[in-house]
Amino acid sequence: MLYTILFFIGALLTDTSRTDAYLSGQYGEATMTIEGRTQGGFGVHARSVYDINAVHRVFGEASYQWNKSRDNYGVENADYERLYPYLTTDTVGGGLKTETYSFRGGYRMEKKHVIWHAGLMFRAVQSYREVDPRPKNKVADLTVDGSVGYSDAQYAYSALVHVGRYKQTNEVKFYSELGESQIYHLVAPATEYARFSGNKKNSYYHGLRAGIGFQLSPRRKGWMAVASYEWNRVTKELEDNVNIPIGRLDKHAIRVEIGYRMPLWYALLTAGVDIRQGTQYLYGAAKDNYYYLLLRQPTYLEHAWQIGAEGSYRLALPTGYMLFAGHMAYALKNHSDNDVSERFRLLGEWLSDDKLGIEVSIRYTFPIKGRFSWFIAPVATYDRYIKTTHHRWQVALSTGLTF
């Protein structure tokens, strides 16, 4: 999240006023099926940067994304990568339909070597299934961010801070007369909370996050660099009859990035580590629907190291231009040993596997009339899971207007 904000601030420094409005479609397949064996969908997007004058700038973007997956295995949550190991799971699964709404907007001012901005981001997600087991997930994700810095003729030096609030309701229902399957709540990638298996179906996640960052951004060409830290806490509660906290996840993310930008290209190297610390809530005997908390015990620790590289190159053509871009990242995970349930051994291997990810894209933009141009942009992504040798791929195509 913090990387996305920092990158956007850099774009606010270098971009000229423009608006993009476009449609997108995507399709993918996977042998690692937490998100489905196949998935596809479409989206509608708009984003704009507008200069009121030489000092004041406003910006915004909004999008709607619809996605349908098939043969999902195990996980019944939205945002599973953010919430694990505290996931709601079963052994049946099935396809999901997902709708995502997102918005970002803000204001930036630059005057007498001082540059600052204030922004707001909001994301809402709804995912559901129309056959048993029937999860219905609703996500509300809000972030407020700001920055202040010093700018000169070549660079801007900025400090940024953001705070956010996250919520997800996770309900699983059954309507079949043939009975219900068991619902489990994980406390490690392959370990369920045995006490609450089967009799607790509805969950509530809530949490806070905060981050700081420092960024060096060139106006036209030169070095660019980012150093950032983000803290993220999410607590899972079971909601049947009474709210019972069963787990709390604290995540610490540290990033360092350095690169160089020229008018027609840029290259960037990244490195970082994510530290996940899980705390399990242990209870004594229940009386009058009240569970007596005995202790909160640290039960999970994971370090995920990442390195990556990305870049782009703009090629001028007799009519329009092409923008080539690529990104590659490798993540290496290690975590504390836990008791492994044979029921979820495979899921645990997927969640804790090392991953190599590659993305390449080409954007062709050609003029139509005046300020108006049309663009078409195919994108391909490929993820390889190293230990389990699973993989997933996706292709996407975007096309629309820029003016």
Side-chain angles (χ1 to χ4, degrees):
M1 177 61 69
L2 184 56
Y3 169 77
T4 301
I5 297 172
L6 289 166
F7 187 83
F8 201 95
I9 300 310
L12 285 179
L13 183 70
T14 58
D15 280 357
T16 57
S17 293
R18 78 172 195 181
T19 298
D20 290 340
Y22 59 99
L23 304 175
S24 66
Q26 60 279 333
Y27 175 79
E29 297 183 358
T31 60
M32 194 283 283
T33 56
I34 293 179
E35 295 181 287
R37 192 168 301 279
T38 65
Q39 58 173 302
F42 68 91
V44 181
H45 314 263
R47 61 188 179 202
S48 181
V49 177
Y50 178 71
D51 287 326
I52 301 173
N53 52 42
V55 175
H56 305 285
R57 169 175 285 188
V58 292
F59 56 92
E61 60 179 297
S63 68
Y64 167 78
Q65 185 74 36
W66 181 88
N67 188 78
K68 182 178 180 179
S69 59
R70 297 178 57 189
D71 301 329
N72 299 50
Y73 171 75
V75 177
E76 300 292 9
N77 297 101
D79 296 339
Y80 80 93
E81 290 184 318
R82 180 173 187 165
L83 302 177
Y84 88 84
Y86 298 106
L87 300 175
T88 301
T89 61
D90 59 56
T91 57
V92 179
L96 284 173
K97 295 179 181 179
T98 303
E99 297 177 85
T100 304
Y101 306 82
S102 61
F103 165 82
R104 173 171 169 78
Y107 167 82
R108 190 218 72 180
M109 187 182 81
E110 183 177 9
K111 186 177 182 180
K112 295 182 179 179
H113 299 293
V114 176
I115 182 171
W116 65 272
H117 99 279
L120 180 145
M121 289 193 297
F122 179 74
R123 181 177 63 99
V125 179
Q126 177 175 266
S127 63
Y128 55 93
R129 183 185 301 125
E130 296 169 337
V131 296
D132 291 355
R134 307 184 188 209
K136 187 175 182 180
N137 304 312
K138 294 183 178 180
V139 173
D141 189 5
L142 176 68
T143 301
V144 178
D145 59 272
S147 70
V148 62
Y150 173 84
S151 64
D152 56 30
Q154 187 175 4
Y155 288 102
Y157 312 84
S158 300
L160 181 143
V161 62
H162 78 269
V163 294
R165 174 71 169 165
Y166 180 87
K167 295 181 180 180
Q168 180 180 160
T169 57
N170 171 228
E171 301 177 354
V172 183
K173 295 183 178 180
F174 294 85
Y175 292 98
S176 173
E177 297 178 354
L178 299 178
E180 301 181 357
S181 61
Q182 288 281 88
I183 300 298
Y184 304 90
H185 303 280
L186 298 189
V187 291
T191 307
E192 71 262 24
Y193 201 144
R195 178 172 184 177
F196 297 114
S197 296
N199 62 343
K200 299 289 184 181
K201 300 181 179 65
N202 300 331
S203 305
Y204 173 59
Y205 297 82
H206 60 92
L208 299 170
R209 68 166 168 266
I212 58 173
F214 301 93
Q215 183 175 27
L216 169 69
S217 302
R219 289 190 172 277
R220 182 171 174 78
K221 64 179 182 179
W223 292 99
M224 51 186 181
V226 175
S228 65
Y229 166 78
E230 182 182 74
W231 166 79
N232 193 328
R233 169 173 289 181
V234 178
T235 299
K236 178 176 182 176
E237 299 179 358
L238 301 182
E239 283 197 308
D240 296 85
N241 300 322
V242 63
N243 283 27
I244 308 169
I246 63 168
R248 187 187 71 206
L249 173 66
D250 288 279
K251 179 182 174 182
H252 307 271
I254 301 170
R255 298 285 185 277
V256 177
E257 305 171 7
I258 187 168
Y260 197 83
R261 178 182 294 277
M262 292 291 287
L264 298 180
W265 61 268
Y266 85 91
L268 184 70
L269 298 176
T270 66
V273 60
D274 292 345
I275 303 171
R276 290 177 183 260
Q277 299 171 320
T279 301
Q280 184 176 346
Y281 291 68
L282 302 176
Y283 293 91
K287 183 178 181 180
D288 298 328
N289 208 30
Y290 180 81
Y291 289 79
Y292 291 87
L293 178 65
L294 297 179
L295 58 91
R296 290 184 289 265
Q297 179 179 354
T299 56
Y300 185 73
L301 177 63
E302 176 190 281
H303 293 80
W305 302 89
Q306 301 111 22
I307 56 172
E310 65 179 82
S312 70
Y313 177 75
R314 175 169 169 161
L315 175 65
L317 300 174
T319 301
Y321 67 89
M322 299 189 75
L323 183 66
F324 302 88
H327 176 265
M328 182 173 64
Y330 182 77
L332 173 66
K333 295 182 179 180
N334 60 74
H335 61 86
S336 55
D337 292 329
N338 296 90
D339 295 333
V340 175
S341 166
E342 288 299 323
R343 185 182 293 110
F344 294 110
R345 177 181 292 275
L346 179 61
L347 180 60
E349 291 175 353
W350 289 351
L351 290 170
S352 57
D353 203 355
D354 304 339
K355 183 176 76 171
L356 173 66
I358 301 172
E359 178 178 292
V360 293
S361 65
I362 303 173
R363 172 168 165 156
Y364 175 48
T365 304
F366 52 94
I368 299 176
K369 185 178 180 180
R371 293 181 56 197
F372 288 85
S373 298
W374 190 271
F375 73 87
I376 183 169
V379 181
T381 61
Y382 179 80
D383 294 326
R384 181 72 175 184
Y385 295 84
I386 307 303
K387 298 175 184 177
T388 62
T389 69
H390 284 284
H391 68 271
R392 60 183 176 186
W393 60 264
Q394 180 173 280
V395 292
L397 182 67
S398 300
T399 184
L401 286 172
T402 180
F403 53 91

